[in-house]
Amino acid sequence: MLANTILDGDAIVRALHGAFARDASRPELLQLAATKMREAGGPYTGVYMYMLHGDELVLEAFDGRPTEHIRIPVGTGLCGRAVAERRDINVGDVSQADGYLACSLETRSELVVLIRRHEEILGQIDIDSDELHGFDDAEEREVKKVADALAVLL
Ligand code: SME
C-alpha cells in the first residue's frame, strides 16, 4: 500500500485468499470484496460488482446505496462502455461524462476497473464516490489489485 492511498489493496487480497482457502463461494467472495472496499470510507461511497453474462453486466454483489441498475447491456453507461472498449474508466466528474447512468444524485465521480483473466473479461468493480475526482492513479492501482485477485479466485 502506498502511503497516500486510502485503500489497502494487498490487505483485501489477503482477506480474499483467506476466504477462498475456507471454501468461500463466488457470491461470498464478491460480497467480501465489495464490503472491504467500501469499509475504506470516502471516496468509496458505493462498490458494485457487475459480472459479465453474455452481452450484459449483472449486479452480483454491492455495498453502499442500492441501485436500480441490476443489468446493464455492454455498451451502455460507463460500466457497459468499459467492457465494450476493454479498458478501465476513471471519471473525475460524472456530470461531464457522456452516457453516464446515474445511480444516485449524490455521486460525483466513478471508477470502473475490469476483472480480466488474460484476454477474457469476467466483470468489473464499479465504484461510486460522493467526492469529485475521488480516485487518482495510485488509488486505481489498489483497486486493480483486488480485481486481479478476483480474476484468479472466481
Ligand atoms: N453509473 C454506472 C451505472 C452503475 S450504478 O452507478 C451503480 C454507469 O454509468 O454505467
Side-chain angles (χ1 to χ4, degrees):
M1 179 186 181
L2 296 169
N4 61 343
T5 59
I6 308 286
L7 196 75
D8 184 348
D10 292 326
I12 297 176
V13 170
R14 281 196 297 277
L16 288 170
H17 278 272
F20 182 81
R22 293 188 297 276
D23 291 328
S25 64
R26 170 186 171 107
E28 287 168 339
L29 290 171
L30 289 170
Q31 189 61 56
L32 181 65
T35 301
K36 288 271 178 202
M37 296 179 83
R38 174 142 124 84
E39 274 174 7
Y44 295 83
T45 306
V47 181
Y48 306 85
M49 314 301 287
Y50 284 102
M51 303 306 291
L52 193 57
H53 294 261
D55 288 340
E56 270 190 333
L57 288 160
V58 179
L59 184 64
E60 294 195 17
F62 75 96
D63 199 300
R65 297 186 190 107
T67 176
E68 66 188 53
H69 302 119
I70 307 299
R71 308 177 83 90
I72 301 176
V74 170
T76 298
L78 299 179
C79 293
R81 190 196 305 166
V83 176
E85 298 181 1
R86 304 183 66 82
R87 65 182 181 95
D88 298 341
I89 291 181
N90 189 347
V91 173
D93 180 355
V94 294
S95 73
Q96 304 299 315
D98 283 343
Y100 166 70
L101 293 176
C103 161
S104 160
L105 294 178
E106 306 297 317
T107 301
R108 310 296 298 280
S109 62
E110 180 161 348
L111 172 65
V112 182
V113 175
L114 294 174
I115 302 171
R116 293 173 181 255
R117 191 180 291 151
H118 307 295
E119 290 306 300
E120 185 187 6
I121 296 173
L122 302 184
Q124 65 187 213
I125 301 173
D126 170 40
I127 306 167
D128 283 3
S129 182
D130 288 359
E131 300 172 21
L132 269 179
H133 302 285
F135 309 97
D136 63 11
D137 289 349
E139 205 61 51
E140 188 173 335
R141 280 195 291 277
E142 295 301 307
V143 174
K144 186 154 169 44
K145 289 179 186 176
V146 179
D148 289 347
L150 287 170
V152 174
L153 299 177
L154 291 177

